[in-house]
Coordinates of all heavy atoms in Angstrom, one line a residue:
A222 N -13.3 15.9 18.8 CA -13.9 16.3 17.5 C -13.7 15.4 16.4 O -13.4 15.7 15.3 CB -13.4 17.7 17.2
N223 N -13.8 14.1 16.7 CA -14.0 13.0 15.7 C -15.2 13.5 14.9 O -15.2 13.3 13.6 CB -14.2 11.7 16.4 CG -14.4 10.5 15.5 OD1 -15.1 10.7 14.5 ND2 -13.9 9.4 15.8
H224 N -16.2 13.9 15.5 CA -17.3 14.7 14.9 C -17.1 16.2 15.3 O -16.9 16.5 16.4 CB -18.7 14.2 15.4 CG -18.9 12.7 15.0 ND1 -19.2 11.7 15.9 CD2 -18.8 12.2 13.7 CE1 -19.3 10.6 15.2 NE2 -19.1 10.8 13.9
G225 N -17.2 17.0 14.2 CA -16.8 18.4 14.4 C -17.6 19.3 15.3 O -17.2 20.4 15.7
D226 N -18.8 18.8 15.7 CA -19.7 19.7 16.5 C -19.8 19.1 17.9 O -20.9 19.3 18.6 CB -21.0 19.9 15.8 CG -21.7 18.5 15.6 OD1 -21.1 17.4 15.8 OD2 -22.9 18.5 15.2
E227 N -18.8 18.5 18.4 CA -18.8 17.9 19.8 C -17.6 18.5 20.5 O -16.5 18.4 20.1 CB -18.7 16.4 19.7 CG -19.8 15.8 18.9 CD -19.7 14.3 18.5 OE1 -18.8 13.7 19.0 OE2 -20.6 13.8 17.8
R266 N -20.8 18.1 11.8 CA -20.5 16.7 12.2 C -19.4 16.1 11.2 O -18.5 15.5 11.6 CB -21.7 15.9 12.2 CG -21.5 14.4 12.5 CD -22.9 13.7 12.7 NE -22.8 12.3 12.9 CZ -22.6 11.8 14.1 NH1 -22.4 12.6 15.2 NH2 -22.5 10.5 14.3
N274 N -17.5 11.4 7.4 CA -17.8 11.2 8.7 C -16.6 10.3 9.2 O -16.5 9.1 8.9 CB -19.1 10.4 8.9 CG -19.5 10.1 10.3 OD1 -18.6 10.1 11.2 ND2 -20.7 9.8 10.5
N276 N -15.9 8.8 11.7 CA -16.2 7.5 12.5 C -17.0 6.5 11.6 O -17.6 5.6 12.2 CB -17.0 7.8 13.7 CG -16.5 7.1 14.9 OD1 -15.3 6.7 14.9 ND2 -17.3 6.8 15.9
R277 N -17.0 6.7 10.3 CA -17.6 5.7 9.5 C -16.7 5.3 8.3 O -17.1 4.6 7.4 CB -18.9 6.2 8.9 CG -20.0 6.4 9.9 CD -20.5 5.2 10.6 NE -21.6 5.5 11.5 CZ -21.4 5.9 12.8 NH1 -20.2 6.1 13.3 NH2 -22.5 6.2 13.5
D308 N -11.3 8.4 22.9 CA -11.9 9.3 21.8 C -13.1 9.9 22.4 O -14.1 9.2 22.7 CB -12.2 8.4 20.6 CG -12.7 9.2 19.4 OD1 -12.2 10.3 19.2 OD2 -13.6 8.7 18.7
F309 N -13.1 11.3 22.5 CA -14.2 12.0 23.1 C -15.3 12.2 22.1 O -15.1 12.7 21.0 CB -13.7 13.4 23.6 CG -13.0 13.4 24.9 CD1 -11.7 13.5 24.9 CD2 -13.7 13.3 26.1 CE1 -11.0 13.5 26.1 CE2 -13.1 13.3 27.3 CZ -11.7 13.4 27.3
H310 N -16.5 11.9 22.5 CA -17.8 12.2 21.7 C -18.7 12.9 22.7 O -18.7 12.7 23.9 CB -18.4 11.0 21.1 CG -17.6 10.4 19.9 ND1 -18.0 10.7 18.6 CD2 -16.5 9.7 19.9 CE1 -17.1 10.0 17.9 NE2 -16.2 9.4 18.6
S311 N -19.7 13.6 22.0 CA -20.9 14.1 22.7 C -22.0 13.9 21.6 O -21.7 13.4 20.5 CB -20.8 15.5 23.2 OG -19.8 15.6 24.2
G312 N -23.2 14.5 21.9 CA -24.3 14.2 20.9 C -24.2 15.1 19.7 O -25.0 14.9 18.7
G313 N -23.3 16.1 19.6 CA -23.4 17.1 18.5 C -24.7 17.8 18.4 O -25.5 17.8 19.4
F318 N -27.1 13.5 25.4 CA -26.8 12.3 26.2 C -26.7 12.6 27.6 O -26.2 13.6 28.0 CB -25.5 11.7 25.7 CG -25.5 10.9 24.4 CD1 -25.2 11.6 23.2 CD2 -25.8 9.6 24.4 CE1 -25.2 11.0 22.0 CE2 -25.8 8.9 23.1 CZ -25.5 9.6 22.0
S373 N -14.5 5.4 24.8 CA -15.1 6.6 24.2 C -16.0 7.2 25.2 O -16.2 6.7 26.3 CB -15.9 6.1 22.9 OG -16.4 7.2 22.3
T374 N -16.6 8.3 24.8 CA -17.6 9.0 25.8 C -18.8 9.5 24.9 O -18.7 9.7 23.7 CB -16.9 10.2 26.5 OG1 -16.7 11.2 25.5 CG2 -15.6 9.8 27.1
E375 N -19.8 9.8 25.7 CA -20.9 10.7 25.2 C -21.2 11.6 26.4 O -21.8 11.1 27.4 CB -22.1 9.9 24.7 CG -21.9 9.0 23.6 CD -21.7 9.6 22.2 OE1 -21.8 10.9 22.2 OE2 -21.5 8.9 21.3
Ligands
ZN869 ZN1 -19.5 11.8 17.9

Side-chain angles (χ1 to χ4, degrees):
N223 176 321
H224 295 123
D226 59 350
E227 303 172 4
R266 179 173 179 81
N274 179 341
N276 224 25
R277 296 293 185 278
D308 188 35
F309 281 101
H310 288 259
S311 293
F318 284 91
S373 186
T374 70
E375 299 288 359

